[in-house]
Amino acid sequence: MSSSRKTLLAYYRDLHRRYGPQRWWPADTPFEVMVGAILTQNTAWTNVEKAIAALKTFGLLDPNRILETDEETLGLAIRPAGTFRVKARRLRAFVRWFVDRGADLRKIRALGRPKLREELLGIPGIGRETADSILLYAFDLPTFVVDRYAWRVLTRHALVPEDAGYDEMKELFEESLGPDRKLFNEFHALIVKVGKEHCRTTARCEGCPLEARLPGR
């Protein structure tokens, strides 16, 4: 077992021991996961929940209904998620791709992870984190999602340099842990949990389940 694999699994065990299963991503359908992945850009999940609840109330959590709805009206429905005009445009662009692909999860998934990720990244407003969230949580494909919490944990624990980019951090997890979808799912969710509680902009290390693993401790 490589040293990086042993280290990451030790971090995973510490987090899982403290927090238990996270059962993430919270959604009723894969399509809801996709919508949530777009709406959660630069906002708190509590705001996304309000926006998704509004979409459900107005019967808009449906690919065809979204395409039939003009951006202004759609924006009003997702307003709680912030930057609603931009997100309405991004959401419609994504849904157009999804419908053009037949809105068939099984057939789209059969494209394979590299091709599907390439297509997602070609949709306006879909960046790497959003694309990987959709791949992992909606299509059940083994790809690791890197976010600001992962960057904080990895850099503060000297597992990657401070100038490490998205791809470098993603590669660390994927090459060390192998293509393990369930592990990637739970590990990312646990990192989000510890990030919200402890690894904030200003670190709150006291009482953190990873405190003993900080360099110099």
Side-chain angles (χ1 to χ4, degrees):
M1 182 184 295
S2 68
S3 60
S4 58
R5 177 177 173 83
K6 288 175 64 176
T7 299
L8 290 175
L9 288 177
Y11 275 66
Y12 174 81
R13 286 192 294 269
D14 287 349
L15 292 172
H16 197 272
R17 190 179 299 116
R18 169 70 64 84
Y19 298 122
Q22 297 301 292
R23 299 179 177 86
W24 194 258
W25 191 291
D28 294 328
T29 66
F31 183 69
E32 184 177 329
V33 172
M34 299 175 198
V35 171
I38 294 168
L39 296 184
T40 199
Q41 294 172 348
N42 302 311
T43 194
W45 182 251
T46 52
N47 297 328
V48 176
E49 289 178 320
K50 295 174 185 176
I52 288 178
L55 289 172
K56 290 180 177 179
T57 297
F58 295 113
L60 293 175
L61 195 58
D62 174 87
N64 292 317
R65 286 296 308 280
I66 286 175
L67 291 182
E68 292 167 359
T69 304
D70 61 84
E71 285 185 12
E72 183 177 357
T73 302
L74 183 60
L76 291 174
I78 64 172
R79 191 182 187 99
T83 59
F84 57 93
R85 292 186 181 86
V86 172
K87 288 183 179 179
R89 186 164 58 252
R90 291 176 178 176
L91 184 55
R92 280 174 54 83
F94 168 79
V95 173
R96 169 53 63 195
W97 167 85
F98 184 64
V99 170
D100 286 347
R101 271 291 184 184
D104 187 317
L105 287 169
R106 182 182 60 81
K107 289 183 178 179
I108 296 173
R109 189 180 190 277
L111 292 171
R113 186 181 63 171
K115 173 62 175 175
L116 184 47
R117 190 172 192 264
E118 179 184 352
E119 289 200 11
L120 288 171
L121 291 174
I123 300 170
I126 304 296
R128 290 172 293 184
E129 183 181 340
T130 302
D132 287 330
S133 294
I134 291 171
L135 290 171
L136 177 62
Y137 293 108
F139 287 102
D140 292 328
L141 290 168
T143 190
F144 201 87
V145 181
V146 177
D147 56 22
R148 64 183 182 278
Y149 299 120
W151 179 83
R152 289 173 190 165
V153 170
L154 293 176
T155 57
R156 288 169 178 172
H157 287 252
L159 298 179
V160 298
E162 289 195 8
D163 61 353
Y166 187 99
D167 292 335
E168 182 177 348
M169 291 183 284
K170 177 180 171 67
E171 185 177 297
L172 172 65
F173 283 99
E174 294 183 354
E175 292 195 354
S176 300
L177 300 176
D180 191 328
R181 176 186 60 80
K182 290 183 178 180
L183 178 59
F184 289 172
N185 181 315
E186 194 66 61
F187 207 164
H188 171 247
L190 288 166
I191 289 174
V192 171
K193 180 71 172 179
V194 77
K196 289 180 176 179
E197 291 196 357
H198 293 282
C199 221
R200 302 183 177 187
T201 304
T202 300
R204 299 180 177 182
C205 297
E206 185 176 355
C208 174
L210 302 177
E211 181 181 5
R213 297 192 180 279
L214 281 167
R217 298 293 177 99

